[in-house]
Amino acid sequence: MDDVWKQVDARTHDGSKTDITPFAGTYHDVWLGDAVISVKDGKLWFTAKRSPKLTGQVLPYKGNTFVIKWNYRSMEADAYAMFSFDEQGNPSGLKLKPISPLTDFSFDFQDLDFKKVSFN
């Protein structure tokens, strides 16, 4: 897991810029409901409407994969956020996956299948 955070840190400081604005919007999952990805102070943030503890910064990692660092640190359940794109190259969906294999199975991130329903 340390390798992931080293990569995120390197990506943050390497001078490359990811255009984060296309990722902003509301994403809907049938079970969890809506999650909003917003831009605040030049950074992406994920907020699940039904689960306030699922709020955190979305950080570039590799390609279409980002990492969500949850504000609620006692969860110990940071997640990969893997975006899918439509035929125009715009983000159209999102899947989550725990970074650590030790993440409690009850989070079931891998079962979420968000579809982008609005743009911010």
Side-chain angles (χ1 to χ4, degrees), residues 43-112:
K43 298 175 183 175
L44 277 181
W45 290 88
F46 179 101
T47 304
K49 295 285 192 177
R50 287 188 189 160
S51 185
K53 288 183 180 175
L54 292 180
T55 298
Q57 189 176 356
V58 182
L59 302 156
Y61 178 55
K62 292 181 182 179
N64 68 329
T65 302
F66 289 67
V67 171
I68 302 175
K69 185 174 186 176
W70 304 118
N71 290 348
Y72 188 68
R73 299 307 302 152
S74 66
M75 287 194 315
E76 296 181 24
D78 294 327
Y80 292 113
M82 299 159 294
F83 288 89
S84 55
F85 295 85
D86 64 16
E87 60 281 352
Q88 259 73 52
N90 298 311
S92 59
L94 171 66
K95 289 189 171 272
L96 303 179
K97 177 182 173 186
I99 293 173
S100 172
L102 302 176
T103 299
D104 190 281
F105 72 93
S106 64
F107 287 107
D108 289 338
F109 291 140
Q110 67 279 2
D111 296 334
L112 301 175

